[in-house]
Amino acid sequence: MTARRQYAAGRLPVPTYRLGWLIMVGEPLAGSAPVAGQSAVYACVSSADRRAELDRQVAGVAVWATGQGVAVDWVVTEVGSARDGHREKFLALLRDPAVGTIVVEHCGRFARFGAEYVEAALSAQGRRLLVVDAAGVDDDLVGDVAEMVASLCVRRYGRHVAANRVRRAVEVACG
């Protein structure tokens, strides 16, 4: 808390900048210079019965990226839930230093929690994550708690039972 207050007052003895909710020490690497490397559009759905949604996502994100002056080199699609962390293709994009920019529809497409940490890690490498609809995922506290409960239920009871358990838990908690 002391460091946060000193940052707000401009009294920290080291150079700092904000990256989302984080306060970073040092100078920003990315700046306003274009990011080198290839650009990839990443689209994901949670289950095989929602595969048709992938085409809509890819089209929307690719049009947005092109409008922002980002040339799309790769399109990566994946079927898998972010709740259980099985996103092998997204992890491969993160590991590949040739990919300078990853464009996604919204944060929920790659991580349920900690999206700002992924952005910070990429930024520290001189790479970036572009989110088309940053406001698309609600920062509502009840929604965040429901996501955490859902994540735990999926790991404990399986995906099919988790939705009902989360709904019942939210009903009990919210009255």
Side-chain angles (χ1 to χ4, degrees):
M1 291 305 296
T2 301
R4 192 169 291 278
R5 281 192 299 269
Q6 288 183 353
Y7 171 80
R11 293 189 314 236
L12 283 177
V14 293
T16 57
Y17 64 97
R18 287 196 74 96
L19 182 65
W21 291 359
L22 302 174
I23 298 171
M24 306 297 290
V25 175
E27 298 294 328
L29 295 176
S32 60
V35 175
Q38 298 178 339
S39 299
V41 165
Y42 177 76
C44 185
V45 293
S46 59
S47 61
D49 60 330
R50 301 188 67 200
R51 272 190 197 273
E53 176 89 6
L54 283 174
D55 293 334
R56 184 204 57 80
Q57 271 186 57
V58 169
V61 172
V63 166
W64 182 87
T66 305
Q68 298 295 314
V70 176
V72 176
D73 298 310
W74 294 352
V75 172
V76 177
T77 61
E78 190 163 31
V79 176
S81 176
R83 288 184 178 152
D84 58 13
H86 293 117
R87 296 281 174 98
E88 285 84 17
K89 291 181 181 180
F90 185 71
L91 291 174
L93 284 175
L94 292 176
R95 288 185 193 112
D96 188 352
V99 178
T101 303
I102 302 172
V103 187
V104 297
E105 184 178 41
H106 58 76
C107 294
R109 294 294 177 205
F110 67 90
R112 293 290 179 202
F113 309 104
E116 61 273 7
Y117 299 117
V118 174
E119 291 181 68
L122 287 172
S123 177
Q125 297 173 356
R127 301 163 66 195
R128 64 185 175 174
L129 177 71
L130 297 178
V131 180
V132 174
D133 186 12
V137 176
D138 207 355
D139 284 335
D140 182 33
L141 181 60
V142 173
D144 290 346
V145 171
E147 286 294 333
M148 289 184 349
V149 171
S151 178
L152 295 172
C153 287
V154 165
R155 290 175 189 241
R156 175 75 170 108
Y157 303 109
R159 187 179 311 165
H160 299 294
V161 178
N164 288 332
R165 289 193 182 257
V166 169
R167 183 184 46 76
R168 282 186 270 156
V170 170
E171 286 173 0
V172 167
C174 295

